Amino acid sequence: MTSTTQVLTTQRLTLRPWRVDDAQSALDIFGHDEVTRWLSPAMDRVADLAAMRLLLRQWIAEDARLVAPAGRWAIQRNTDGLVIGGAILLPLPPGNEDLEIGWQLHPGTWGHGYASETTHALATWAFSQDVNEIFAVVRPENARAAATVRHNGMHWVGETTKYFDTDLQVFRLRAADLDRAAAEGHHPPNLSHD
């Protein structure tokens, strides 16, 4: 069973497998530079509906080869059924030894706690599948993502170019840390650019 067969439900969201007929909703998300500029590996914004359909087919095919809990999900809001984002639990290169957690939300939904809710649901799922730890890799300039992972109890462990040959901050979450307050976490040093 791959993880994409596992539907995850929270109070406000349903995380479910992507479908090709999600292309317009996905384009509304991945067609925004504000979303794609933060992704690792780097990804240009998706230009049109045909390109989005092709990308969704690629993701669905890749997901079929992944072993649970790895996968990709569409994030659907329960109140109106609108797909507002995507989420991932994917092996990180090189070596595929570390499991990355991530999310991408439509900019119009930012600031409503959906990223934290998604992170908590995915982490809970991963830990229920005998995963010991998961990682988030965040571009240093992405303060919003760093705040979200800290809010979910993730600990800053350093910076690296190991993943995707890009400068990234690395945050780790273990099952025991999932519900701890952000103030107890380890934070990156304050870097001023005077």
Side-chain angles (χ1 to χ4, degrees), residues 140-152:
E141 306 82 22
N142 194 347
R144 180 181 292 275
T148 298
V149 296
R150 282 191 205 104
H151 179 74
N152 281 280

Side-chain angles (χ1 to χ4, degrees), residues 1-8 14-18 60 63-73 125 129:
M1 177 175 84
T2 63
S3 63
T4 56
T5 61
Q6 179 67 36
V7 174
L8 307 174
T14 297
L15 282 63
R16 60 159 178 81
W18 282 106
I60 292 165
D63 281 358
R65 295 186 298 270
L66 292 172
V67 176
R72 291 178 181 85
W73 290 262
W125 160 243
Q129 300 298 302

Side-chain angles (χ1 to χ4, degrees), residues 74-138:
I75 303 170
Q76 185 174 314
R77 195 165 46 200
N78 293 338
T79 55
D80 58 11
L82 184 66
V83 173
I84 61 169
I88 62 160
L89 277 174
L90 293 175
L92 279 163
N96 298 326
E97 297 165 351
D98 299 329
L99 193 61
E100 176 191 12
I101 190 170
W103 65 92
Q104 310 82 37
L105 292 169
H106 186 283
T109 66
W110 293 356
H112 296 281
Y114 296 132
S116 289
E117 196 167 326
T118 297
T119 301
H120 194 275
L122 287 176
T124 300
W125 160 243
F127 296 140
S128 77
Q129 300 298 302
D130 296 325
V131 169
N132 296 320
E133 60 187 6
I134 56 177
F135 294 88
V137 293
V138 177

